[in-house]
Amino acid sequence: MMEDGLVSPRTEGTPQGGPFSRSSVTFCSTKGRELARRGHRFVRYADDGNVYVRSKAAGERVLASLDRWLWQRLRLRMNRDKSGVARPWSRKFSATV
């Protein structure tokens, strides 16, 4: 990992493009179809994703559902510091749809 121009060993997470990043493909193909079936819009970039819903309450429900699904299916914990429910323009996210 490189931070401030210095290389240091990784202490958590997985490298982008590494073999474990296939879990994001599993997420997108499986959970992405489920989100689309429910009428939600979903965009991902590498291992990050945005789900677009109609209300804050729906956003809270979807966030909790995704967190449960990630743990039950993949034994992954959502980064709650980087995750949240907000208007799209108030979140930082780069993606190509």
Side-chain angles (χ1 to χ4, degrees):
M1 176 173 78
M2 184 176 286
E3 187 173 352
D4 297 325
L6 300 172
V7 176
S8 60
R10 179 180 309 283
T11 58
E12 62 182 27
T14 58
Q16 186 171 331
F20 196 68
S21 67
R22 289 190 182 102
S23 65
S24 70
V25 173
T26 300
F27 170 80
C28 287
S29 61
T30 305
K31 199 60 176 174
R33 280 193 299 269
E34 175 66 18
L35 291 167
R37 187 184 67 75
R38 293 179 181 197
H40 302 313
R41 302 280 191 244
F42 176 79
V43 179
R44 83 170 179 114
Y45 179 76
D47 63 347
D48 293 330
N50 280 358
V51 181
Y52 300 98
V53 297
R54 296 191 182 272
S55 70
K56 185 172 182 167
E60 296 292 350
R61 285 191 304 271
V62 170
L63 186 65
S65 171
L66 291 173
D67 195 28
R68 272 191 313 276
W69 187 87
L70 284 168
W71 179 249
Q72 290 170 353
R73 289 285 189 91
L74 303 174
R75 291 295 185 240
L76 296 174
R77 285 287 178 209
M78 184 181 294
N79 184 334
R80 298 303 250 162
D81 293 333
K82 292 172 56 178
S83 304
V85 176
R87 297 283 186 193
W89 52 85
S90 68
R91 303 285 295 176
K92 291 183 180 180
F93 185 73
S94 299
T96 304
V97 179

